Amino acid sequence: MYERILIPTDGSNVAQAAVDSAIDLAERYDAEIHALFVADTDAVAYGLGTEQVDRIRQGNFEGMTELREDATEATSYVTEQAEKAGVAAVEHHAGGQPHRMIANYADDHEIDLIVIGSHGRSGVRRALLGSVTERVLRSTHTPVLVVDYQEDD
């Protein structure tokens, strides 16, 4: 049923909860995990020059230490958890509008399921889905599993 499962991740607790669900499914279906970190170029464009934004769009975070570390940390967590479970994993870093990059990646890599957190790194608990998650749901025909995370009180 599932051969390739995509996990868009920003490294947040919600994204890490989605990893657990995705790996469980990957184990059951002998599927490959794809970990995707997308740097939102709309959010970073104001503080960077055109050349740097173009490099980010190409997934090249060289010279941007903090961004590169965030991307590596987020996707490495996914691959480490996958390896512990005996699941094959692929890491990818990209730049652009997250919902479009996620939908395009799913199409380009014949992804069978997207497993995504209900919201990302916002500090506020939302009653509605996060904007990226909501836009992913509207941007792709690939099935999407939305995973919520609630911190222990």
Side-chain angles (χ1 to χ4, degrees), residues 5-140:
I5 299 172
L6 174 60
I7 305 172
T9 182
D10 60 3
S12 65
N13 289 339
V14 178
Q16 289 179 358
V19 171
D20 295 339
S21 295
I23 290 175
D24 181 55
L25 287 167
E27 285 180 293
R28 291 175 193 231
Y29 292 100
D30 194 29
E32 178 180 69
I33 293 286
H34 289 245
L36 175 63
F37 177 93
V38 179
D40 186 347
T41 53
D42 288 346
V44 298
Y46 297 110
L48 300 175
T50 305
E51 183 180 320
Q52 287 178 309
V53 172
D54 287 341
R55 285 196 354 239
I56 291 171
R57 284 191 180 115
Q58 296 169 12
N60 178 1
F61 304 156
E62 191 172 316
M64 294 170 244
T65 306
E66 187 175 341
L67 181 58
R68 187 179 66 245
E69 287 174 358
D70 287 348
T72 301
E73 183 179 325
T75 57
S76 292
Y77 176 82
V78 176
T79 56
E80 288 167 8
Q81 298 307 307
E83 287 173 7
K84 288 178 187 176
V87 172
V90 175
E91 290 183 52
H92 187 76
H93 303 154
Q97 292 181 315
H99 69 283
R100 287 194 178 147
M101 298 304 295
I102 293 165
N104 290 344
Y105 188 94
D107 288 343
D108 294 346
H109 294 88
E110 298 180 0
I111 297 297
D112 302 301
L113 178 67
I114 300 169
V115 180
I116 190 168
S118 58
H119 57 280
R121 284 193 178 268
S122 68
V124 178
R125 173 80 174 116
R126 298 179 183 185
L128 301 174
L129 293 177
S131 60
V132 171
T133 300
E134 183 178 352
R135 288 178 181 154
V136 167
L137 288 167
R138 295 175 190 218
S139 301
T140 185

